[in-house]
Amino acid sequence: MNKKKFGFLLLVVFMVPLAGELKFYPVEGNFRVSFGTPLFFFFLLWRRSLHQYTLILSVSLSVVLFRVGLEVGGNEMEAAEAFMSHFPVFFYYLTYGLLFQFLNVPKFYSKPFIVGLCGVVLEVMASMSEMVIRSGLADQAVGFDLWLLLEIAIIRSFFVLGFFNILLYRQAKIEEEQHKKQSEHMMMVVSGLYAEAVHLTKSMKDAETVTKESYDLYRKIRNLSVEESASSLLGIASRVHEIKKDNQRIYAGLSQVITRESEASYLPIERIGEIVKKANEQYAALLGKQVAFKVTCKGEHPAYPTYALLSILNNLISNAVEAIEEEGNIELTVKKPDDLVEITVTDNGRGVPDRMRDIIFKHGYTSKFDSSGEASTGIGLSYVQEVVEGMNGSINLLDEEGKTSFLIRLPQENLVEMGQ
């Protein structure tokens, strides 16, 4: 038994006997109701990972010793007399715990009412066993009201069950939130890989073109009997060809990851927008900017391929975050006129200079520079245009006063087919 489990066992062994001393008498006479049983029931339900028989025997014995210790310590009776008075309670907790194991109560967790009924049965049977021991072995007169016993058992068992289900619900919500965060993180990672795969595809095409052109030039130069230059050119073509092969191997690995992750990855557009919003809220906070995000979805939309849209939207919105100086607003709007999907990303950042409007989708264009003055790679907008046009869609920069807006139009049919 590890330290954590041992520590929990000690807690139970201490808490149950102590709770057993918190009692009240619902009717006149010796019939008393304590809080030891509800607490014991709760611990049995809660810690399935702990060895149950060890827990049952430890609690049964500790309750007897605790009560004997109180009697002897208070000089109310001798140890032997105190033990004879209290040892029947050992069989109460023992019967309760063994019946809990026999009925296998945890398998009914999905049926709370049955768990509550099991608790009632456990308490009634445990009380009966204690009474038999008291009247038989301990020679103690016992009188009880069965209906009162049932009423108390029902109240205590279903009270514990209600509290236990509240904890289960809370734990389920925590686990759901953790799973949601992990899922969102994985989606953003795979959407990044999706973008890299598109860039890699373009790189492979470029490498193929350079290889072909280099080899054609090699053949021309070789025919002119310029052997040394021809050999050098052939070496260049071979190295470019190796680069292409390496890219193909990398692309194959990326494709397997993307395909495996995206087999059933279709989400409502509202959920995709929420993921992008949350990711870029964190990005804005990382940059020390105060950015208010708004996501608006109009019309009825089917589920869309997650990673294609995440990749496009994240590129546009992260660009918008970077374009805002210190604080600003970004709005994502999705509409569905007829068979088209219209996506608009608007920000009130520094905007695009008029002289640059014609080249912003060119590979290499950037308006972003790091602290040393180095320009970024400038592949974000060119990538978005490449993916959008690959779906027979279009992307345009709109003319709006004081705002920068990109409008994407996609045929809904092509968008859905892209994820298949």
Side-chain angles (χ1 to χ4, degrees):
M1 185 182 297
N2 58 38
K3 290 183 179 179
K4 187 176 180 180
K5 290 183 178 180
F6 182 71
F8 178 77
L9 180 62
L10 288 180
L11 175 67
V12 177
V13 167
F14 174 77
M15 291 296 296
V16 173
L18 188 62
E21 296 306 308
L22 302 174
K23 50 186 176 286
F24 66 95
Y25 295 84
V27 294
E28 293 183 4
N30 295 326
F31 189 88
R32 65 183 184 182
V33 178
S34 75
F35 294 96
T37 301
L39 191 61
F40 185 47
F41 186 37
F42 173 76
F43 283 136
L44 287 173
L45 290 171
W46 185 25
R47 290 309 292 252
R48 287 168 288 171
S49 61
L50 191 65
H51 194 280
Q52 296 291 302
Y53 293 110
T54 301
L55 176 65
I56 294 165
L57 288 172
S58 300
V59 169
S60 302
L61 185 61
S62 67
V63 172
V64 175
L65 295 178
F66 188 81
R67 293 184 181 181
V68 170
L70 288 179
E71 298 283 6
V72 174
N75 296 319
E76 296 182 14
M77 59 180 68
E78 296 295 329
E81 184 182 359
F83 179 78
M84 289 300 297
S85 174
H86 294 294
F87 88 90
V89 78
F90 173 86
F91 294 93
Y92 174 90
Y93 283 96
L94 182 66
T95 303
Y96 195 104
L98 292 179
L99 281 175
F100 182 92
Q101 289 295 97
F102 177 76
L103 295 176
N104 195 12
V105 178
K107 76 177 181 180
F108 300 115
Y109 278 4
S110 60
K111 301 175 181 178
F113 184 73
I114 295 180
V115 175
L117 289 181
C118 287
V120 174
V121 172
L122 296 178
E123 188 163 341
V124 171
M125 295 301 295
S127 297
M128 297 293 289
S129 69
E130 181 184 358
M131 291 174 188
V132 169
I133 296 297
R134 286 191 182 279
S135 61
L137 300 181
D139 195 23
Q140 298 174 10
V142 178
F144 69 95
D145 185 334
L146 180 60
W147 291 111
L148 179 61
L149 185 62
L150 276 172
E151 289 174 12
I152 298 299
I154 291 171
I155 293 172
R156 292 203 296 192
S157 297
F158 280 93
F159 172 79
V160 172
L161 180 63
F163 184 69
F164 178 68
N165 281 330
I166 290 173
L167 290 182
L168 284 184
Y169 176 77
R170 181 175 176 274
Q171 184 179 1
K173 293 296 289 183
I174 292 173
E175 291 175 354
E176 180 185 353
E177 188 63 27
Q178 290 175 341
H179 178 74
K180 184 178 177 181
K181 288 181 180 179
Q182 292 172 351
S183 177
E184 289 177 357
H185 174 71
M186 195 63 196
M187 285 179 185
M188 296 307 298
V189 170
V190 176
S191 69
L193 292 179
Y194 187 96
E196 296 304 322
V198 172
H199 299 322
L200 200 54
T201 302
K202 183 178 182 300
S203 175
M204 289 190 296
K205 291 179 180 177
D206 292 342
E208 180 67 26
T209 301
V210 172
T211 301
K212 184 178 182 303
E213 291 177 353
S214 296
Y215 188 73
D216 289 343
L217 188 56
Y218 155 73
R219 293 178 62 184
K220 292 177 182 179
I221 293 177
R222 186 185 62 177
N223 292 335
L224 295 175
S225 300
V226 186
E227 291 296 332
E228 185 176 348
S229 298
S231 297
S232 299
L233 195 55
L234 182 60
I236 292 172
S238 298
R239 285 191 290 275
V240 172
H241 184 68
E242 286 301 312
I243 292 172
K244 176 199 167 188
K245 290 295 185 184
D246 290 339
N247 284 349
Q248 285 177 329
R249 284 189 286 269
I250 296 171
Y251 180 76
L254 283 177
S255 296
Q256 289 179 0
V257 173
I258 294 169
T259 301
R260 185 170 61 249
E261 292 295 330
S262 61
E263 281 178 351
S265 191
Y266 284 79
L267 288 176
I269 187 62
E270 294 85 359
R271 180 78 178 104
I272 294 174
E274 179 188 335
I275 294 171
V276 175
K277 174 186 174 184
K278 186 177 294 185
N280 283 281
E281 281 175 341
Q282 295 173 352
Y283 184 43
L286 180 66
L287 297 179
K289 300 180 180 183
Q290 295 182 347
V291 181
F293 292 86
K294 182 180 179 181
V295 178
T296 304
C297 299
K298 300 178 180 180
E300 294 185 5
H301 296 262
Y304 292 133
T306 306
Y307 299 113
L309 277 185
L310 273 182
S311 184
I312 292 171
L313 294 177
N314 197 50
N315 265 283
L316 288 176
I317 295 178
S318 62
N319 280 348
V321 170
E322 293 164 355
I324 291 173
E325 295 294 342
E326 293 183 1
E327 59 182 68
N329 303 299
I330 296 176
E331 183 172 359
L332 168 64
T333 304
V334 183
K335 301 178 182 178
K336 188 178 171 295
D338 299 325
D339 295 328
L340 290 176
V341 178
E342 289 189 352
I343 301 172
T344 307
V345 176
T346 303
D347 70 81
N348 61 348
R350 57 178 172 266
V352 179
D354 290 339
R355 67 181 185 279
M356 297 294 185
R357 296 176 71 88
D358 294 334
I359 63 170
I360 58 172
F361 294 109
K362 302 290 184 183
H363 184 78
Y365 166 79
T366 184
S367 61
K368 295 172 285 186
F369 297 85
D370 62 21
S371 58
S372 64
E374 290 291 326
S376 73
T377 54
I379 57 178
L381 288 176
S382 62
Y383 160 74
V384 172
Q385 184 183 51
E386 187 173 344
V387 174
V388 168
E389 290 181 350
M391 291 184 279
N392 295 323
S394 64
I395 178 170
N396 296 287
L397 175 62
L398 303 181
D399 292 317
E400 293 188 339
E401 186 72 25
K403 294 181 180 179
T404 302
S405 292
F406 288 93
L407 172 61
I408 296 175
R409 288 190 177 95
L410 296 168
Q412 181 180 308
E413 182 181 359
N414 291 1
L415 176 61
V416 173
E417 286 178 353
M418 186 178 185
Q420 295 177 343

